[in-house]
Amino acid sequence: DCRQYTNRSCEECLKNVTCLWCASSGRCMDYPVRRVLPPADLCELRSARWGVCWVNFEALIIAMSVVGGTFLIMLGVCCCCCCCKKKSKKQALLSVRPDKDDERAAREREKRRVRQEER
């Protein structure tokens, strides 16, 4: 039971991974597993500690948001770069390779030239 560590130290409380330490009240309590974050009436996010004593939930949420946002921005930039690269390669291939209409016109010109020479 986590309540036995109340009014002791954060380190003692968090040795048990199912416990949550509230720094403002000095209470050790069972982590509310049905919720992702502890409710405010149980303990404020800036006072709640879980896993390690030096990180509170508020800082953890901010840090994870920054890391997640940075990752999403990097992913978007990579996708844009890949799309632009494919587009430029496709345009380069189209400009180098003659069009089918151009090939057909060149063949017809060649046929006409051959016919004129035969005459």
Side-chain angles (χ1 to χ4, degrees), residues 7-77:
N7 293 325
R8 291 194 187 172
S9 71
C10 176
E11 287 79 15
E12 286 182 56
C13 173
L14 296 184
K15 283 181 183 176
N16 185 347
V17 293
T18 62
C19 295
L20 172 75
W21 175 259
C22 187
S24 61
S25 65
R27 292 185 327 168
C28 187
M29 58 196 89
D30 291 317
Y31 188 88
V33 292
R34 294 189 185 268
R35 304 181 94 178
V36 175
L37 299 173
D41 60 336
L42 189 63
C43 188
E44 292 179 339
L45 287 179
R46 73 179 131 233
S47 298
R49 309 285 195 270
W50 180 72
V52 290
C53 294
W54 53 272
V55 176
N56 63 36
F57 271 94
E58 198 172 52
L60 186 65
I61 290 169
I62 292 169
M64 293 304 288
S65 299
V66 168
V67 169
T70 303
F71 177 74
L72 289 175
I73 289 171
M74 287 173 43
L75 186 67
V77 168

Side-chain angles (χ1 to χ4, degrees), residues 45-118:
L45 287 179
R46 73 179 131 233
S47 298
R49 309 285 195 270
W50 180 72
V52 290
C53 294
W54 53 272
V55 176
N56 63 36
F57 271 94
E58 198 172 52
L60 186 65
I61 290 169
I62 292 169
M64 293 304 288
S65 299
V66 168
V67 169
T70 303
F71 177 74
L72 289 175
I73 289 171
M74 287 173 43
L75 186 67
V77 168
C78 287
C79 288
C80 287
C81 288
C82 288
C83 289
C84 290
K85 197 174 191 180
K86 283 184 181 180
K87 233 182 216 180
S88 65
K89 277 186 178 179
K90 188 176 181 181
Q91 287 176 350
L93 284 174
L94 288 175
S95 65
V96 171
R97 192 176 60 194
D99 195 303
K100 286 187 177 185
D101 292 335
D102 293 342
E103 288 177 10
R104 189 179 312 133
R107 274 186 264 138
E108 287 179 15
R109 276 194 305 265
E110 183 63 26
K111 284 181 186 177
R112 281 191 217 121
R113 189 185 62 78
V114 169
R115 275 191 251 145
Q116 278 182 346
E117 286 179 5
E118 286 176 358

